[in-house]
Amino acid sequence: MPPRPRLLDALRVKPGGRARLSNIDPGDTHGFNEARAREQAAKHLARLQTLQEMLFAERRHRILIVLQGIDTSGKDGVIKHLSKALHPLGTRVAAFGVPTEPELAHDYLWRIHAQVPGNGQIVIFNRSHYESVLVERVHELVPKKRWSRRYDHINDFERLLTDEGTTIVKCFLHIDRAAQLERLRSRYDDPTKRWKFNVGDLEERKLWDAYEAAFEDALSRCSTRDAPWYVIPANHKWFRNLAVGEIVTDTLAGLGLEYPARDDLPKNLVFS
Ligand code: AMP
Ligand code: MG
């Protein structure tokens, strides 16, 4: 049997191409069943753990993982999954909510740039600068004249980061309306999930089509060779976790990470 295509290649939005979400099935599992997906996902986590240790030891590369997706698409779930492999010493999560007063007093990339990873670090963005062409566009928080210029800013900003040694992986968690409805209902019904329930999410849900159009533009205009977008079919949590884990692991594996040789240490050191 020929090896299956890597999800890294299968799910990438081709730079310069047009992402059409209606053509991408959120329930797709790329031939995996749940048992095999979980088994494979565990293997990726084991590799990821070693790769991150090398990354941290080398302090040469910086990794930025951007998670976007509509409410309940599973951004927190993906973070929980990746955390099983990632050592807290070299990892940070930055969540971006409604901008504060001081944040609003600056350009929209100010709070973002302050959170990017340093050498040896992995930073996961739970929402990101993309909110400035998503929620701000959908709710007309800024006029079209302003948000429409932001795609170019974002590409320039991301190129600055990649030119200076940051590797960027951007995952859009793709669910459908029915899956969201079920998840919102279950958040409301289940006492262990109710703390996450937000009545406002039901209002946001009414803007589904506007969000979809905004996501498609962001995915299409800002998937670049060095900072690609991946569309993750996310109706099945087990496939979503497998896919993000595989993409992150394969991306790190492609960096040629190694444990530092430490040639600076004296040879033949005597231990007594
Ligand atoms: P959550 O991720 O559920 O904690 O919610 C964070 C909220 O912050 C979401 O409703 C986002 O739409 C909102 N948010 C994030 N970034 C922005 C932004 N730039 N402008 C306005 N709202 C934002
Ligand atoms: Mg929310």
Side-chain angles (χ1 to χ4, degrees):
M1 224 170 49
R4 68 176 172 86
R6 299 188 307 170
L7 294 171
L8 184 81
D9 297 316
L11 303 181
R12 189 188 295 115
V13 177
K14 279 194 197 62
R18 177 85 203 153
R20 293 212 185 281
L21 291 175
S22 54
N23 293 343
I24 304 174
D25 176 8
D28 200 352
T29 62
H30 288 252
F32 281 89
N33 61 31
E34 181 168 353
R36 215 163 66 76
R38 287 187 185 279
E39 192 184 312
Q40 195 65 42
K43 284 186 189 161
H44 291 325
L45 289 183
R47 274 173 74 213
L48 182 58
Q49 199 166 358
T50 306
L51 288 164
Q52 190 213 358
E53 194 171 67
M54 290 172 172
L55 180 95
F56 187 68
E58 272 195 328
R59 285 176 169 70
R60 199 156 63 88
H61 295 275
R62 311 160 183 173
I63 310 294
L64 175 60
I65 302 168
V66 173
L67 300 177
Q68 284 289 168
I70 205 106
D71 298 311
T72 78
S73 60
K75 301 182 289 296
D76 294 342
V78 164
I79 293 169
K80 203 168 164 182
H81 176 71
L82 295 176
S83 306
K84 291 178 201 157
L86 300 178
H87 199 302
L89 214 51
T91 314
R92 190 158 46 82
V93 176
F96 297 96
V98 178
T100 61
E101 273 295 308
E103 287 169 353
L104 283 173
H106 293 79
D107 71 82
Y108 67 98
L109 289 173
W110 179 74
R111 65 173 182 163
I112 308 294
H113 208 163
Q115 295 287 352
V116 300
N119 290 341
Q121 288 187 329
I122 298 181
V123 172
I124 306 177
F125 278 3
N126 182 346
R127 304 183 189 269
S128 66
H129 41 305
Y130 283 92
E131 292 294 332
S132 294
V133 288
L134 295 166
V135 65
E136 294 189 43
R137 160 174 161 169
V138 169
H139 283 275
E140 299 176 6
L141 301 179
V142 295
K144 180 171 185 181
K145 184 163 183 272
R146 274 180 66 195
W147 61 252
S148 59
R149 293 194 295 232
R150 290 177 170 176
Y151 301 93
D152 289 339
H153 302 160
I154 288 174
N155 286 335
D156 288 345
F157 171 64
E158 292 181 356
R159 204 179 57 249
L160 160 74
L161 296 179
T162 56
D163 280 354
E164 293 289 320
T166 303
T167 297
I168 305 181
V169 176
K170 301 179 293 192
C171 294
F172 167 69
L173 307 181
H174 183 36
I175 60 169
D176 58 32
R177 282 178 213 242
Q180 193 197 40
L181 188 63
E182 196 185 305
R183 289 178 188 189
L184 287 172
R185 192 171 280 142
S186 125
R187 274 188 187 180
Y188 183 65
D189 290 341
D190 181 344
T192 70
K193 292 183 184 161
R194 207 163 206 184
W195 61 275
K196 286 201 237 183
F197 189 78
N198 182 351
V199 182
D201 290 352
L202 291 172
E203 287 303 309
E204 287 300 283
R205 184 175 155 75
K206 294 179 185 157
L207 301 167
W208 188 280
D209 291 331
Y211 270 108
E212 188 160 278
F215 276 121
E216 283 191 349
D217 279 349
L219 296 167
S220 306
R221 298 190 58 182
C222 301
S223 191
T224 57
R225 199 179 59 91
D226 289 330
W229 268 111
Y230 299 93
V231 176
I232 313 292
N235 274 6
H236 297 286
K237 295 175 182 175
W238 46 266
F239 180 77
R240 171 200 80 197
N241 288 347
L242 164 71
V244 178
E246 181 169 310
I247 288 166
V248 170
T249 304
D250 283 350
T251 301
L252 260 64
L255 295 177
L257 301 167
E258 283 174 5
Y259 285 108
R262 294 304 307 276
D263 295 328
D264 56 313
L265 292 176
K267 306 272 179 266
N268 307 319
L269 196 61
V270 177
F271 288 83
S272 57

